[in-house]
Amino acid sequence: MRGPIFEIFLKILRLRKTNLRLSLLKLPHHYKMYCSTGVKIAVTEAEAENMHNDDESDSDKASVILEELNAKMDQLKSLNIQVADFEKDDDTNFHMDFITACSNARAASYRIAPANKHKTKLIAGKIIPAIATTTAVVAGLVSIEMYKMIQGLKDVEKYKNAFLNLALPFFAFSEPILAPKNKYYEVEWTLWDRYDIKGDITLQELLDIFENDHKLEISMLSQGVCMLYAFFMPADKRKERCGMKISELVELVTKKKKVPTATLR
């Protein structure tokens, strides 16, 4: 798939034309391939869970990516980009090669019968009207808002809600409403805020974290409709559950092997 992708990007970015197919064949002669060492592969679910807990959080990874993007913003300003209009009947633009490769990769993942380039071209020719209407408009509007988030804009007035009806046609934009803010002590929070607790800790350790670090007392802990902990439980049941790891407690109460989240109240 790399050949079609490179060719398309070369055209969009107005870069020098090269024969990528020949270049890719020569790569093994110019570059040495090394296998990673020290890589641990999880054999059991418990090992996979521990490895997942030891990894960086998604927010940490996203912060690193955003910092790298911001550092390269000046370089992007000098790019001279041209629009690549989709043309299924031009074999020199590699559009159908790219679409065929992507669709077959997805088909393999979902055990769908693959399609050759000719069949893919027939299907692509029939769905052009659908791509060019509401789906494209919504995708474009969502992408614009995503660019604003990547730029780190904090002013809510910079963002927009969109309402549209192409049959009328009708387009309207409005400013989004901030989530209501609540406050405990000096900390402000909304319904979108979450506490990220790493590691498979015990229930008592969880209670202690909130009491010592956040000055909060957990009165109830649930997963879905299942009650994991409550202040009004019998003392012996509370003591038993406080010594259990959260994962074990969830499995015990829900009767399910692996449940991802719990709700604090």
Side-chain angles (χ1 to χ4, degrees), residues 16-17 21 30 99 112 148 150 185 191 251 265:
R16 182 171 59 85
K17 184 73 173 180
R21 295 185 185 277
H30 296 284
I99 292 176
I112 301 172
K148 297 175 184 177
I150 293 174
Y185 301 124
L191 290 175
E251 290 182 9
R265 298 182 185 278

Side-chain angles (χ1 to χ4, degrees), residues 2-245:
R2 291 185 298 177
I5 294 177
F6 288 167
E7 292 283 358
I8 293 172
F9 271 94
L10 282 174
K11 183 176 181 180
I12 292 175
L13 300 176
R14 302 175 185 268
L15 299 177
R16 182 171 59 85
K17 184 73 173 180
T18 58
N19 191 334
L20 292 177
R21 295 185 185 277
L22 293 177
S23 299
L24 290 173
L25 291 175
K26 296 178 182 178
L27 281 178
H29 302 288
H30 296 284
Y31 299 94
K32 292 183 178 180
M33 306 297 289
Y34 297 95
C35 295
S36 299
T37 58
V39 177
K40 184 178 180 181
I41 300 176
V43 179
T44 64
E45 290 188 1
E47 290 182 2
E49 183 69 21
N50 291 332
M51 292 173 63
H52 175 73
N53 292 331
D54 293 338
D55 291 341
E56 292 182 283
S57 66
D58 291 340
S59 60
D60 294 336
K61 294 178 181 178
S63 298
V64 173
I65 294 173
L66 287 175
E67 290 178 1
E68 294 175 350
L69 288 174
N70 290 329
K72 297 180 179 180
M73 286 298 291
D74 292 335
Q75 300 177 19
L76 297 178
K77 293 177 181 178
S78 61
L79 288 178
N80 185 12
I81 299 176
Q82 68 175 355
V83 177
D85 294 322
F86 174 67
E87 177 51 63
K88 64 181 178 65
D89 296 319
D90 182 3
D91 290 335
T92 64
N93 61 19
F94 295 96
H95 291 180
M96 287 311 306
D97 296 84
F98 174 69
I99 292 176
T100 303
C102 288
S103 61
N104 283 335
R106 181 179 182 277
S109 300
Y110 291 93
R111 297 183 180 179
I112 301 172
N116 57 32
K117 185 177 176 180
H118 178 68
K119 184 176 180 180
T120 303
K121 184 182 291 187
L122 293 176
I123 296 172
K126 293 179 182 179
I127 64 175
I128 287 177
I131 293 177
T133 53
T134 308
T135 304
V137 175
V138 172
L141 292 171
V142 170
S143 298
I144 291 173
E145 300 305 308
M146 187 182 299
Y147 291 146
K148 297 175 184 177
M149 292 189 65
I150 293 174
Q151 290 176 343
L153 300 180
K154 301 298 184 181
D155 186 0
V156 71
E157 295 182 356
K158 300 293 185 181
Y159 296 87
K160 291 291 182 284
N161 288 328
F163 306 88
L164 59 99
N165 187 328
L166 298 185
L168 297 178
F170 172 78
F171 295 86
F173 297 89
S174 66
E175 294 179 2
I177 301 174
L178 286 173
K181 291 184 178 180
N182 300 285
K183 193 172 184 179
Y184 74 91
Y185 301 124
E186 299 301 321
V187 180
E188 287 189 343
W189 60 277
T190 71
L191 290 175
W192 296 103
D193 292 313
R194 295 290 184 271
Y195 286 109
D196 188 10
I197 307 296
K198 296 183 179 181
D200 190 10
I201 60 178
T202 65
L203 175 58
Q204 186 60 57
E205 289 173 331
L206 179 67
L207 299 176
D208 293 341
I209 287 174
F210 277 87
E211 183 176 356
N212 299 329
D213 297 349
H214 306 293
K215 309 302 180 185
L216 294 173
E217 181 181 354
I218 297 177
S219 57
M220 296 173 62
L221 177 65
S222 63
Q223 198 292 314
V225 297
C226 299
M227 184 71 65
L228 304 180
Y229 168 84
F231 70 94
F232 51 79
M233 282 181 172
D236 56 341
K237 181 179 286 189
R238 289 205 311 270
K239 182 178 180 180
E240 177 188 2
R241 294 190 175 186
C242 282
M244 299 177 66
K245 290 187 176 295

